[in-house]
Amino acid sequence: MANNDAKESLIALLRGVEHFNTQIFPQKRELFAELADGQSPTTLFIACADSRVNPTLITQSDPGELFVLRNIGNIVPAYGEMLGGVSSAIEYAVVALKVTSIIVCGHSNCGAMMALLDPDPGKLAKMPTVQSWLRNAEAARAVALAATDGGPATVRSMAEQNVLLQIAHLRTHPSVAAALARQELILQGWFYDIGSGEVMVLDENARRTISIEQAVASLETSENAAA
């Protein structure tokens, strides 16, 4: 039999479902009626599986607005390296759902980045699949260590370099490359600080973080120029 803690955790989830069914769902009945016939999200949001990261809460999005892809370390293997769930989700989002933006979101205190920055061979040996998966972020470790001018690399710098690396990997996916060539897709990297709630946008060209306000202003400027 499961222990009492496990039972209490499951009961809490079931009570949450009960609250959703009786209190939340009725308030959004029309929205769910529309969603019952299909989805048309505008954004593919690639986030870490970390339980502290909640994409819909961070972006204040309703159901149906984000197509969410989560895994350890918000990693996107380069096309052909590990064809599977991540690759198929990206392809489906771009080709079938025709999302217009893809966001890769890293975060503070990320266990995957900690493992890359200071590997514990004994711990990783017990998780061979995780160890293999993290090789898709190894280049970010090299960049983070090289960019510190001799000082210690931080989990944040690792997370930021990893986001930039995964965006580069995204560009190797044929569906993404084609959509970018048609100017139908925007790629963007974010860093989310769990403790402060702050989200910073990673400027891919300058390889630095900018504020939400700066990112919005940049997008509005480019939109006006195109018009």
Side-chain angles (χ1 to χ4, degrees), residues 94-214:
V94 175
V95 177
L97 299 178
K98 300 188 182 305
V99 296
T100 55
S101 60
I102 301 178
I103 293 168
V104 179
C105 182
H107 67 94
S108 61
N109 194 241
C110 179
M113 298 303 103
M114 291 178 185
L116 278 169
L117 194 59
D118 186 19
D120 182 339
K123 195 172 185 179
L124 285 175
K126 299 175 183 177
M127 298 183 287
T129 307
V130 172
Q131 187 173 28
S132 176
W133 178 249
L134 290 179
R135 292 194 187 107
N136 294 291
E138 189 61 39
R141 179 176 183 272
V143 174
L145 292 174
T148 55
D149 297 323
T154 64
V155 174
R156 174 165 183 158
S157 64
M158 269 294 307
E160 291 177 353
Q161 293 302 330
N162 180 57
V163 167
L164 293 171
L165 174 64
Q166 306 315 321
I167 289 177
H169 287 173
L170 267 171
R171 295 181 186 277
T172 69
H173 289 248
S175 58
V176 173
L180 288 170
R182 294 191 299 267
Q183 297 187 321
E184 296 174 352
L185 186 66
I186 296 174
L187 306 183
Q188 193 170 81
W190 292 5
F191 177 84
Y192 167 54
D193 187 283
I194 295 171
S196 69
E198 182 182 46
V199 173
M200 300 293 288
V201 175
L202 285 156
D203 185 317
E204 192 178 1
N205 295 320
R207 301 188 75 83
R208 64 180 179 86
T209 56
I210 60 175
S211 68
I212 293 293
E213 291 77 10
Q214 289 172 307

Side-chain angles (χ1 to χ4, degrees), residues 25-36:
F25 183 86
Q27 298 174 20
K28 295 181 177 285
R29 191 179 299 277
E30 291 184 9
L31 171 62
F32 285 110
E34 293 175 8
L35 293 175

Side-chain angles (χ1 to χ4, degrees), residues 60-104:
Q60 289 295 282
S61 300
D62 275 330
E65 293 182 4
L66 299 180
F67 189 69
V68 181
L69 171 60
R70 306 187 67 160
N71 61 55
I72 300 297
N74 43 272
I75 286 172
V76 178
Y79 188 76
E81 290 293 319
M82 286 184 170
L83 293 177
V86 173
S87 303
S88 60
I90 291 168
E91 187 173 80
Y92 183 77
V94 175
V95 177
L97 299 178
K98 300 188 182 305
V99 296
T100 55
S101 60
I102 301 178
I103 293 168
V104 179

